[in-house]
Amino acid sequence: MGMPMKIRAGLKDGVTEVKILMQHEMETGLRKDAEGKPIPAWFITDVLAQYKGKTVLDAQFGQSISKNPYLLFRFKGGAVGEKVNVSWVDNKGDKRSDDGVIA
Amino acid sequence: MNVEVNLDRRNALKAGGGLGLMALFGAVGLLSSKAALAEWNKTAFSAKTMDEALAAMGVSTAESNAIFIQLTVPEIAENGSIVPVSVTSTFPNVEQISIFVDKNPSVLAAQFNIPAGTESMVTTRVKMGQTANVVALIKADGKFYRTAKEVKVTAGGCGG
Amino acid sequence: MNKKSIIGATLALSMALLANASWAVEVVTLEAKAAAIIKRDFRDKGIAKADRVIQDELQASCSKYLDNLPAKLNDKIKAQQEAVMKYPADGVYMGDWKAGEKLAQSGRGMTWSDKAEEQPGGNCYNCHRLSSKEIAYGTIGPSLLHIGKDRGNTVEIQKYIYGRIYNAKAYNPCANMPRFGHMGILGEVQIKDLVALLLDPESPVNK
Amino acid sequence: MTTSNLMKVILAMALSASFAAVAAEPEMSDSDRIARYRDMISDGNPADFDEMAGEELWKTAAGPSNATLEKCDLGKGPGVVKGVYAVLPKYFKDTDKVQDLESRLVTCMVTLQGFSEEELVKKPFSTEQKKSDITLLTTYVVGQSKGVKMAVALKHPKEKEAYELGKVIFNYRAGPYDFACSTCHATNSVRIRMQDLPNLNVKSNAQSAYTNWPAYRVSQGLTRSFQWRLNDCFRQQRFPEPKFISETTIDLTMFLAVSANGAPYAGPGLKR
């Protein structure tokens, strides 16, 4: 089970802005540890954001996304007090799902 | 489960999220790792050059356009491990936004599928091993467009 | 001047003296106390041994006077530093500017995370502008861009630059710049390479 | 082309026109560009996660005494976390010492939870392998002072002395490079490589520098405490290692914290 995300969602002029901060190492697989052994690649591959069961963003990541990935996007609609659900899965099959309440 | 894995995720998306995989995601609120991995474009994300990556994504031509694609990156990044990238497109019917770093070991950083109702705008952060071009690729009405900007990655701190 | 004002002036003067004296005592006490605390609070780590916090006369004086030494003390310390200056025995001051550029780029060396066997860098770009191609340069020291072009490349200039890198304190006792040669941070070969980086007409510093 | 698409095109043209106007503005300096970079990464600080983890630690019973830290007196009475970072370092009667946040947390972990001080100070900083509990707790506590104006007092004689000693330590030149803190931090508008250096003798500089620590260090992927910051300063000064929560580090912190008085605390920050 992955570590919790931080999701902030705000409604303005009929558009919901979603900011997501995920906790993940995002190892490229190219780094070496102190003993010179390669650190295996470990990164989020897929992110899905949904509002009321409908997909509002569908992302795929590669090794070049920064540690603790950050995402910002906007979708039309949304209502204060409703939830935006975000889930991710990484290349090892680990996953995480969290909700952010629209403010 | 097997049936769902074999479903084309793109088609599932277009069907409006009420079928197959999307129903599963909606109900569980979690991505099915198996399904997701099957979908993840391994060839494109492992590509070492822009040409390889574009080929893996089925892009034969991508017209250069800096007017309808706004790519916002810092001119200088104090640290290559976080480089903020924002892509906004004013093309109608944007379906996909992709971000590349042309000198990274794997050039494709991220690909975003933009469903109807979601603005054609996304901000994220990428790693850059050295000074390089950040490339934004947009798919709109089935056609591809691109723009690029250079980000200088500098030596930081006292170096120790 | 009437009597009252004389008394007033004397009083003011003696009060000023008193204040001054107690201030001086206070400072000495604080400095000694701080030095004792520092000596107690630091420990060996890697190549950085605890005795590094013990000040030499130059360091103690510059600390005490916030880098503005009284003239007499300034002359004394400058003379001490001049006396320990060492120039290359072969009379050659310039080496390879390419090796010099590499050294200038490196900010490593002498910290507890550095290794004893590694040659410390020159740390030059940390504080100085050198090659016009490097935009990530510091500004604590003056810009050295085009220094060779502007000052020429005579043996006198070469020797002067060598000396400034070997021991900047022989020119200005409380300079920010480390005493690279005197403190054993850089050897003769390294300093020569840096002189070349600064003065060689082919060096990017002079392009 | 539909009407709405036409609107998009017009909007795009207007946007590109305004972009052209931006480009025509006078050259940005490299420092402006760096400032812009910092501004662009300022949203979404991973230190938030450490604040959350630290709060969990604060409220969870631990140690040989199996107690939480909820009765810990950080300077505003037992259990008060809100705003305490803005009054630290401070003199504490029970220990008869001036203490900064990290040393006070150690005191509480020893007295309330029964940990051994010797063990606690052995590995006080986070590493890639393991985050430090003291740093996580610190991150939580400082987050509870966001927006609170720095008001470090110099009332007790020991507080005054710590400040005066801190000032001397700030100017103490030693080591193979002859460096003091002041070598890099007592001049206006200078930089090392691309990093602007705050002149800590200037109030506004000292305020923005101090109130943005602790901070998440992008280059290390970890949240770093103020004790760590000073430790790394001494490393770069080519000094030996200052002992964790030693008087030297606390006196220096006192000097810097007082210099920041009056400014709202803005951390945990986000740094290169």
Side-chain angles (χ1 to χ4, degrees):
Chain A
M1 188 73 165
M3 303 279 281
M5 284 176 248
K6 192 142 185 177
I7 303 163
R8 286 172 295 161
L11 182 68
K12 203 186 161 192
D13 302 329
V15 174
T16 299
E17 181 172 88
V18 185
K19 293 176 181 176
I20 310 161
L21 192 62
M22 296 160 238
Q23 285 189 82
H24 203 284
E25 285 301 319
M26 301 301 282
E27 273 299 339
T28 58
L30 301 166
R31 293 198 317 147
K32 287 182 176 144
D33 66 13
E35 280 112 57
K37 276 184 279 179
I39 305 172
W42 180 33
F43 57 96
I44 293 176
T45 52
D46 289 70
V47 183
L48 187 71
Q50 294 188 309
Y51 175 66
K52 289 187 168 172
K54 181 185 174 297
T55 295
V56 286
L57 190 76
D58 163 25
Q60 297 184 10
F61 285 173
Q63 287 102 314
S64 292
I65 292 294
S66 301
K67 175 172 176 169
N68 295 322
Y70 174 81
L71 269 187
L72 183 155
F73 70 96
R74 300 187 189 110
F75 68 89
K76 289 188 190 79
V80 173
E82 294 287 342
K83 285 173 189 161
V84 175
N85 174 267
V86 182
S87 46
W88 58 251
V89 58
D90 68 24
N91 66 325
K92 291 183 184 170
D94 196 5
K95 49 192 124 176
R96 179 79 205 183
S97 172
D98 288 290
D99 290 333
V101 179
I102 301 174
Chain B
M1 194 65 197
N2 284 335
V3 179
E4 282 154 354
V5 170
N6 292 334
L7 259 180
D8 181 335
R9 192 154 155 223
R10 247 25 105 230
N11 289 338
L13 267 176
K14 284 200 175 125
L19 295 165
L21 263 183
M22 300 322 293
L24 180 76
F25 290 154
V28 185
L30 269 177
L31 277 166
S32 152
S33 62
K34 225 172 150 189
L37 279 175
E39 279 302 324
W40 190 68
N41 191 340
K42 192 169 187 237
T43 323
F45 279 108
S46 323
K48 305 257 175 280
T49 64
M50 283 301 298
D51 288 348
E52 275 178 54
L54 292 174
M57 290 165 73
V59 183
S60 50
T61 53
E63 190 185 302
S64 200
N65 190 313
I67 295 173
F68 290 72
I69 313 170
Q70 286 88 49
L71 171 62
T72 310
V73 288
E75 282 176 76
I76 296 178
E78 231 178 340
N79 195 294
S81 51
I82 287 195
V83 180
V85 179
S86 194
V87 184
T88 303
S89 173
T90 35
F91 276 116
N93 307 322
V94 171
E95 300 154 42
Q96 203 179 75
I97 298 174
S98 305
I99 296 168
F100 306 79
V101 180
D102 70 351
K103 284 187 189 157
N104 273 9
S106 340
V107 294
L108 178 59
Q111 184 180 312
F112 302 92
N113 296 304
I114 311 290
T118 292
E119 293 190 356
S120 45
M121 183 283 285
V122 68
T123 297
T124 189
R125 295 166 175 172
V126 300
K127 283 181 250 197
M128 293 179 70
Q130 56 180 307
T131 296
N133 289 308
V134 172
V135 182
L137 178 81
I138 301 289
K139 186 182 185 186
D141 272 334
K143 280 189 191 154
F144 289 96
Y145 305 89
R146 64 190 280 182
T147 191
K149 270 187 186 164
E150 191 190 55
V151 177
K152 287 194 175 78
V153 176
T154 64
C158 306
Chain C
M1 202 182 265
N2 61 32
K3 207 173 169 186
K4 213 174 178 181
S5 69
I6 291 172
I7 293 171
T10 317
L11 200 70
L13 187 67
S14 56
M15 271 175 71
L17 276 172
L18 249 172
N20 214 4
S22 69
W23 173 81
V25 168
E26 183 72 36
V27 168
V28 169
T29 318
L30 266 177
E31 276 164 0
K33 197 159 186 188
I37 291 169
I38 287 171
K39 202 176 159 205
R40 182 196 64 203
D41 287 348
F42 283 81
R43 63 172 166 228
D44 293 354
K45 186 162 184 180
I47 60 169
K49 302 300 175 202
D51 62 8
R52 282 190 184 185
V53 299
I54 309 296
Q55 294 174 313
D56 66 12
E57 190 183 355
L58 177 144
Q59 293 170 338
S61 307
C62 293
S63 302
K64 181 175 169 186
Y65 292 100
L66 302 178
D67 299 339
N68 288 306
L69 299 184
K72 248 184 156 173
L73 185 58
N74 191 72
D75 293 348
K76 181 190 160 196
I77 291 181
K78 192 161 176 266
Q80 284 174 357
Q81 299 299 313
E82 281 166 357
V84 293
M85 183 73 90
K86 275 194 205 115
Y87 291 102
D90 60 4
V92 176
Y93 303 105
M94 292 235 300
D96 170 12
W97 69 260
K98 284 180 188 144
E101 166 70 9
K102 258 189 212 152
L103 269 175
Q105 285 284 357
S106 168
R108 299 207 63 96
M110 311 297 276
T111 75
W112 70 60
S113 46
D114 292 310
K115 291 188 181 77
E117 63 273 18
E118 278 167 24
Q119 170 59 51
N123 294 253
C124 310
Y125 282 102
N126 283 356
C127 298
H128 296 281
R129 183 171 193 196
L130 295 133
S131 163
S132 55
K133 283 180 203 142
E134 179 55 83
I135 59 160
Y137 57 85
T139 59
I140 294 174
S143 168
L144 301 173
L145 177 66
H146 297 159
I147 183 170
K149 215 156 98 180
D150 296 344
R151 298 210 187 181
N153 185 15
T154 60
V155 176
E156 287 72 36
I157 295 285
Q158 291 175 19
K159 189 178 175 187
Y160 166 75
I161 296 290
Y162 188 98
R164 288 221 76 137
I165 300 171
Y166 185 89
N167 187 350
K169 268 80 172 183
Y171 302 81
N172 170 11
C174 295
N176 284 328
M177 181 150 154
R179 295 170 276 181
F180 284 102
H182 178 71
M183 288 294 206
I185 304 159
L186 300 175
E188 195 177 293
V189 175
Q190 286 81 35
I191 301 178
K192 285 181 179 182
D193 290 341
L194 290 175
V195 174
L197 175 67
L198 292 178
L199 298 179
D200 194 316
E202 292 310 308
S203 157
V205 170
N206 297 314
K207 292 284 174 191
Chain D
M1 198 178 262
T2 65
T3 321
S4 86
N5 285 350
L6 185 65
M7 283 302 290
K8 278 188 180 174
V9 171
I10 292 167
L11 187 69
M13 289 181 143
L15 260 171
S16 62
S18 68
F19 265 52
V22 168
E25 269 176 27
E27 259 298 273
M28 250 194 192
S29 77
D30 286 345
S31 291
D32 292 341
R33 292 188 177 103
I34 294 277
R36 184 159 175 268
Y37 166 75
R38 289 192 186 147
D39 189 50
M40 285 171 84
I41 64 167
S42 64
D43 190 41
N45 188 345
D48 290 1
F49 296 125
D50 293 331
E51 278 187 54
M52 282 155 56
E55 182 173 10
E56 199 61 35
L57 279 174
W58 180 263
K59 293 175 175 165
T60 306
S65 314
N66 196 35
T68 74
L69 290 169
E70 288 166 304
K71 282 185 186 144
C72 176
D73 179 3
L74 294 172
K76 289 194 161 208
V80 182
V81 176
K82 268 243 159 337
V84 289
Y85 193 60
V87 301
L88 291 169
K90 169 179 196 307
Y91 173 78
F92 287 86
K93 220 174 173 178
D94 55 356
T95 54
D96 189 32
K97 274 198 285 195
V98 172
Q99 294 186 280
D100 67 348
L101 174 58
E102 283 161 87
S103 83
R104 194 61 193 167
L105 282 167
V106 168
T107 299
C108 288
M109 289 167 90
V110 170
T111 56
L112 298 174
Q113 298 183 314
F115 285 110
S116 120
E117 171 156 0
E118 208 184 324
E119 287 302 310
L120 287 176
V121 301
K122 262 187 197 161
K123 287 190 172 169
F125 302 130
S126 295
T127 64
E128 240 183 284
Q129 287 74 38
K130 197 185 178 316
K131 285 182 181 175
S132 142
D133 284 356
I134 300 172
T135 300
L136 291 173
L137 287 162
T138 297
T139 312
Y140 160 60
V141 172
V142 301
Q144 299 296 305
S145 292
K146 250 175 237 171
V148 180
K149 271 193 184 160
M150 292 299 302
V152 177
L154 290 179
K155 273 194 212 133
H156 193 278
K158 289 203 175 180
E159 291 171 343
K160 285 182 200 156
E161 191 188 46
Y163 173 84
E164 292 300 333
L165 286 167
K167 202 194 283 186
V168 175
I169 294 164
F170 182 78
N171 293 299
Y172 188 92
R173 296 183 76 165
Y177 281 29
D178 307 322
F179 283 171
C181 305
S182 59
T183 308
C184 293
H185 293 293
T187 313
N188 285 331
S189 312
V190 291
R191 59 184 215 209
I192 288 181
R193 288 278 185 169
M194 285 291 217
Q195 266 78 54
D196 286 321
L197 299 164
N199 178 351
L200 298 174
N201 288 327
V202 170
K203 192 150 186 86
S204 59
N205 281 211
Q207 288 177 325
S208 69
Y210 190 83
T211 59
N212 278 290
W213 279 94
Y216 180 84
R217 257 281 156 101
V218 168
S219 50
Q220 298 166 347
L222 292 168
T223 304
R224 295 304 201 177
S225 68
F226 201 69
Q227 278 283 331
W228 178 88
R229 183 70 202 90
L230 293 182
N231 179 283
D232 201 54
C233 278
F234 282 119
R235 183 182 66 86
Q236 306 218 34
Q237 258 171 260
R238 274 73 185 178
F239 272 44
E241 186 177 44
K243 291 173 190 160
F244 181 64
I245 59 172
S246 58
E247 189 182 344
T248 297
T249 60
I250 293 169
D251 290 349
L252 197 47
T253 303
M254 186 60 147
F255 170 63
L256 298 170
V258 168
S259 307
N261 270 348
Y265 179 67
L270 184 62
K271 307 260 176 187
R272 61 166 180 92

